[in-house]
């Protein structure tokens, strides 16, 4: 067999894994790898302008395409800049592989230039990581990295490769299949537990599906829609699950939790059988845990056994992949042909939906962020949506009608500001020219990775950035208004940059928007533009995200909007 | 509540820091820890004494399982548990009765020199506690405990 260099192995592995786009930033220790990238034709390399952006872009690429995302960076600071990206992907179980260069083996431990203990730093932020000590183990490690990232509960895997290993020659024996003694994820649900679950369904009077990110990760939307249709069991979705069911499905009670709908939170509080599917009982969903679904038996379906009974004790755990387990349940239900009497339950939920639907007071004097979001969905239905973190993120979750899985990419678990601009670029590369990608971002968060407008310009990646600008770090401001005597400590951003000039400076087009007409006009221009656009939209400075459950409170105690004219 | 468990892990680069990092990162306690490779295998055995209520312990076990290099977590059933202790006692002390104490705990005099006696005891952790209490009257100037090693009975 022919010997090839470690750098060539990296490229060959990416080819074998059918990777089409990678995101990265070169540097001293990565020079050998980048020399190999220069001459290969297997994949496209996107030069981002900050390593954090490389990982966020790869992350959104994975979220939109359901394929693995890949990023490559150099040692030291190149690597440390990726940590926020890794943590974001880890919290949301996003499959990606980060390859970082490291100083040569002979220099490791000497505090060499751009040396840092990379695997030591990434360890708590990744599903697994490797320091490649010699060329012989590189093919196996690369294979394992892709296998671990994309199997079981998915997640980021980090491979740190010293410079001498990237130069060394070795035999390229990339394994086609892999079997690891210590890692064997389980996909199929226990048959007995499935039968037991169906028995439980028969007795339930107020059953509720609680759908989480695992529904998206395992591509189980079709099966779940069938389950809802067949059983007439209502469902709530977490932020990470939005789009699993259609937003206009009557049985979809919308998002639950801190900023969830009244009906969703009341359903969680009053159900007698809670069927958690690929969700992990995050504190933003449960509120006060002792009050959460306290009348319900809990069924918990999850591929990760450590998620089960971590926060809320599960009476009926089913370990397995959501898609596989839900298919098993459907098979069982088709045989049993059970009737679940949910009419009464659905009626009371309907009352909750009508009592406090998600709504807001619109205005013609000042733009309301909710109107902007709804208008986008009217002018560009079924767009792919990216959000950053904060008030705008929650408004999008509440008011954009998500109708298919992987329509939304957002930093859920970590809530990492700066996510959305690089993520929008990764998303656009994943979905292609025909689909519209809209990035909703705040005037705070857009500045955290604004340099990626340059990447958009260089590669002609066309996305629409909508800055919902309230000249505040809005979510923190909202808490300061509600719980900190309106002490707007370090949250007033009224000193503003000229966003239009910034956009233009990066070769993109910018628009200032203050009225509905201006918005419609600018958005239509953006839809037709052949370049990335940024709409700086001045919104009501003091609009709050409501409903809201105060942190640590029971989710049935919600602060509800006091509307002037009820829609 | 005191808990003991053994983790069988791939004997590879960085595996111990994964285990230790898991405990520190999630706020679990490690009361003692011993590690050694298994004879003739690619695995190592890590014995951990920890504490926590049932729920915490269940999470510890699951999180240990979740680590990629973890082959097995042995947490239930009965263990033979032994811990070693070394004790340094000045020869100038009144050593009357020491023999009987050592006998009671199957201890030996491991070594001595012109100034000190070195005692060695191997027993379960609770009896080591008792031994160390008993030996206090000889004014030991150094005590070293080794951490528990475990073997399942079945």
């Amino acid at each position: 067999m022919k010997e090839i260099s470690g750098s060539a192995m990296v490229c060959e592995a990416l080819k074998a894994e059918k990777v089409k786009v990678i995101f990265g930033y070169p540097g001293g220790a990565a020079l050998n790898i980048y020399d190999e990238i220069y001459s290969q034709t297997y994949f496209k390399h996107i030069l981002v302008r900050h390593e954090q952006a490389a990982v966020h872009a790869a992350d959104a690429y994975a979220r939109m395409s359901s394929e693995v995302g890949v990023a490559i960076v150099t040692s030291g600071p190149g690597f440390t800049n990726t940590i926020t990206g890794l943590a974001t992907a880890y919290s949301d179980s996003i499959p990606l592989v980060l390859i970082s260069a490291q100083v040569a083996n002979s220099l490791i431990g000497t505090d060499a230039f751009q040396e840092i203990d990379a695997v030591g730093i990434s360890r708590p932020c990744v599903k697994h990581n490797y320091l490649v000590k010699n060329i012989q183990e590189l093919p196996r490690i690369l294979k394992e990295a892709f296998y671990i990232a994309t199997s079981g509960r998915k997640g980021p895997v980090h491979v740190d490769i010293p410079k001498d290993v990237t130069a060394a020659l070795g035999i390229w024996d990339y394994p086609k299949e892999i079997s690891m003694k210590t890692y064997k994820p389980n996909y199929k649900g226990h048959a007995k537990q499935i039968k037991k679950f169906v028995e439980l369904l028969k007795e339930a009077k107020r059953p509720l599906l609680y759908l989480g990110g695992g529904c998206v990760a395992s591509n189980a939307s079709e099966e779940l829609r069938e389950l809802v249709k067949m059983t007439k069991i209502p469902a709530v979705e977490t932020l990470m699950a939005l789009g699993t069911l259609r937003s206009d499905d009557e049985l979809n009670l919308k998002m639950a939790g801190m900023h969830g709908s009244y009906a969703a939170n009341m359903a969680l509080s009053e159900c007698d059988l809670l069927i958690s599917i690929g969700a992990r009982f995050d504190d933003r969903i449960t509120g006060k845990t002792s009050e959460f679904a306290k009348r319900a038996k809990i069924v918990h379906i999850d591929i990760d056994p450590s998620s089960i009974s971590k926060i809320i004790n599960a009476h009926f755990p089913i370990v397995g992949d959501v898609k596989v387990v839900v298919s098993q349940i459907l098979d069982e239900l088709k045989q049993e042909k059970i009737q679940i009497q949910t009419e009464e339950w659905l009626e009371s939920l309907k009352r909750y939906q009508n009592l406090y639907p998600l709504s807001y007071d619109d205005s013609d004097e000042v733009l309301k962020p909710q109107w902007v979001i709804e208008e986008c969905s009217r002018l560009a239905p079924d767009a792919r949506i990216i959000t950053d973190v904060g008030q705008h993120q929650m408004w999008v979750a509440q008011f954009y009608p998500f109708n298919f899985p992987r329509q939304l990419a957002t930093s859920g678990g970590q809530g990492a500001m700066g996510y959305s601009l690089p993520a929008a670029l990764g998303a656009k590369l994943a979905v292609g020219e025909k689909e519209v990608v809209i990035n909703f971002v705040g005037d705070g968060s857009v500045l955290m990775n604004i340099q990626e407008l340059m990447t958009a310009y260089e590669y002609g990646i066309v996305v629409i950035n909508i800055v919902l600008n309230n000249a505040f770090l809005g979510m923190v401001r909202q808490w300061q208004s509600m719980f900190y005597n309106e002490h707007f400590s370090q949250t007033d951003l009224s000193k503003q940059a000229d966003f239009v000039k910034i956009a233009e400076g990066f070769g993109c087009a910018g628009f200032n928007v203050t009225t509905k007409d201006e918005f419609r006009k600018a958005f239509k221009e953006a839809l037709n533009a052949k370049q990335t656009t940024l709409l700086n939209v001045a919104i009501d400075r003091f609009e709050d995200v409501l409903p809201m459950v105060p942190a640590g409170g029971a989710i049935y105690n919600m602060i509800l909007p006091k509307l002037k004219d009820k829609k | 509540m005191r808990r003991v468990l053994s983790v069988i892990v791939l004997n590879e680069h960085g595996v111990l820091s994964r285990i230790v990092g898991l405990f520190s990162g999630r706020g679990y306690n490690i009361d003692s820890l011993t590690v050694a490779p298994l004879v003739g295998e690619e695995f190592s055995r890590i014995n951990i004494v920890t504490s926590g209520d049932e729920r915490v312990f269940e999470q510890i076990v699951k999180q240990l399982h979740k680590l990629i290099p973890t082959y097995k977590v042995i947490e239930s059933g009965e263990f033979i548990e032994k811990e070693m202790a070394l004790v340094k006692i000045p020869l100038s002390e009144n050593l009357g009765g020491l023999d009987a104490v050592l006998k009671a705990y199957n201890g030996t005099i491991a070594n001595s020199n012109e100034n000190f006696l070195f005692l060695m005891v191997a027993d379960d952790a609770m009896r080591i506690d008792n031994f160390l209490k008993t030996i206090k009257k000889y004014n030991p100037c150094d005590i070293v405990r080794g951490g528990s090693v475990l073997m399942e009975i079945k």
Side-chain angles (χ1 to χ4, degrees), chain B:
Chain B
M1 191 183 157
R2 182 180 190 270
R3 315 263 181 178
V4 294
L5 55 86
S6 279
V7 197
I8 312 295
V9 295
L10 272 181
N11 190 4
E12 63 176 24
H13 177 84
V15 66
L16 185 59
S17 48
R18 289 184 207 285
I19 305 268
V20 173
L22 189 161
F23 274 78
S24 60
R26 291 185 181 266
Y28 308 143
N29 298 315
I30 295 180
D31 296 330
S32 87
L33 177 91
T34 60
V35 194
L38 288 177
V39 181
E41 289 189 54
E42 67 209 289
F43 296 109
S44 279
R45 181 174 184 127
I46 301 177
N47 304 300
I48 303 170
V49 179
T50 178
S51 52
D53 61 23
E54 189 135 342
R55 199 189 188 97
V56 168
F57 189 62
E58 193 185 319
Q59 261 302 306
I60 291 176
V61 170
K62 283 178 175 174
Q63 293 295 341
L64 285 168
H65 262 297
K66 196 169 156 180
L67 294 175
I68 306 289
T70 299
Y71 180 63
K72 207 156 68 168
V73 183
I74 308 163
E75 34 100 16
S76 56
E78 284 176 71
F79 290 105
I80 294 179
E81 180 189 347
K82 292 289 167 194
E83 182 174 359
M84 197 178 104
L86 295 172
V87 182
K88 192 199 271 184
I89 292 178
L91 275 175
S92 53
E93 291 293 323
N94 177 5
L95 298 175
L98 180 63
D99 230 21
V101 175
L102 280 177
K103 211 168 184 182
Y105 288 92
N106 263 331
T108 54
I109 295 171
N111 209 342
S112 64
N113 58 25
E114 64 274 31
N115 296 322
F116 302 108
L117 269 185
F118 300 91
L119 311 181
M120 181 180 90
V121 176
D123 215 322
D124 63 59
M126 222 174 70
R127 278 178 55 83
I128 294 284
D129 289 345
N130 292 340
F131 172 75
L132 294 177
K133 273 182 219 156
T134 314
I135 213 81
K136 254 195 182 149
K137 69 168 178 180
Y138 302 106
N139 295 319
C141 46
D142 201 4
I143 295 172
V144 177
R145 293 182 72 149
S148 288
V149 288
L150 307 167
M151 180 181 270
E152 53 276 34
I153 283 172
K154 264 191 219 156

Side-chain angles (χ1 to χ4, degrees), chain A residues 417-431:
Chain A
M417 283 174 72
Y419 173 78
S420 71
L421 185 44
L425 306 185
K428 181 65 181 178
L429 289 166
V431 299

Side-chain angles (χ1 to χ4, degrees), chain A residues 56-246:
Chain A
H56 285 328
D59 164 305
Y61 184 92
R63 289 185 205 236
M64 288 286 151
S65 66
S66 166
E67 288 161 23
V68 62
V70 179
I72 296 190
V73 299
T74 192
S75 66
F79 162 74
T80 57
N81 278 343
T82 66
I83 288 300
T84 303
L86 290 176
T88 301
Y90 187 45
S91 287
D92 292 344
S93 305
I94 305 303
L96 63 88
V97 172
L98 170 71
I99 293 167
S100 64
Q102 180 56 279
V103 300
N105 267 299
S106 57
L107 289 172
I108 289 180
T110 66
D111 302 321
F113 177 66
Q114 295 194 331
E115 185 198 351
I116 198 77
D117 175 10
V119 287
I121 293 173
S122 73
R123 193 174 298 122
C125 311
V126 293
K127 185 172 172 187
H128 197 47
N129 62 13
Y130 296 90
L131 170 61
V132 184
K133 300 289 266 185
N134 57 62
I135 186 80
Q136 286 79 27
E137 57 183 21
L138 184 57
R140 173 186 61 83
I141 286 176
L142 288 168
K143 181 72 201 179
E144 284 186 9
F146 280 95
Y147 173 62
I148 290 170
T150 55
S151 60
R153 179 174 180 178
K154 297 169 176 121
V157 178
H158 167 214
V159 182
D160 196 35
I161 314 178
K163 192 172 185 180
D164 57 316
V165 176
T166 64
L169 295 176
I171 291 169
W172 176 241
D173 52 348
Y174 196 65
K176 271 214 169 67
E177 293 292 317
I178 197 159
S179 156
M180 295 171 66
K181 269 188 193 167
T182 61
Y183 173 70
K184 296 185 191 302
N186 175 50
Y187 293 94
K188 208 171 162 205
H190 198 287
K192 256 191 198 157
Q193 286 294 85
I194 304 277
K195 276 206 175 8
K196 256 195 211 165
F197 168 73
V198 172
E199 289 304 309
L200 275 181
L201 271 188
K202 286 183 195 168
E203 294 161 19
K205 292 198 168 59
R206 299 187 306 279
L208 181 70
L209 297 168
Y210 156 40
L211 309 178
C215 302
V216 176
S218 79
N219 295 314
S221 170
E222 209 176 298
E223 289 79 3
L224 287 158
R225 287 178 186 202
E226 194 185 340
L227 180 67
V228 169
K229 201 172 161 199
M230 188 195 271
T231 58
K232 296 272 180 287
I233 300 177
V236 302
E237 291 179 332
T238 68
L239 176 65
M240 294 299 298
L242 294 177
T244 301
L245 304 180
R246 282 191 63 88

Side-chain angles (χ1 to χ4, degrees), chain A residues 323-385:
Chain A
K323 190 183 181 80
V324 178
V325 172
V326 174
S327 301
Q328 285 176 280
I329 291 170
L330 286 172
D331 288 346
E332 191 68 27
L333 285 173
K334 278 171 197 161
Q335 283 179 12
E336 286 255 342
K337 291 210 175 60
I338 61 163
Q339 280 290 319
I340 311 164
Q341 302 298 331
T342 56
E343 286 88 0
E344 231 174 276
W345 172 227
L346 291 177
E347 214 145 283
S348 65
L349 293 175
K350 189 99 220 158
R351 276 199 301 278
Y352 291 140
Q353 279 174 300
N354 293 334
L355 194 57
Y356 299 109
L358 288 170
S359 54
Y360 62 98
D361 274 329
D362 199 10
S363 160
D364 287 323
E365 275 87 64
V366 58
L367 278 172
K368 293 287 183 167
Q370 301 94 330
W371 178 88
V372 174
I373 291 159
E374 286 181 335
E375 190 66 6
C376 285
S377 76
R378 287 187 283 262
L379 296 173
D382 294 342
R384 300 276 185 153
I385 304 298

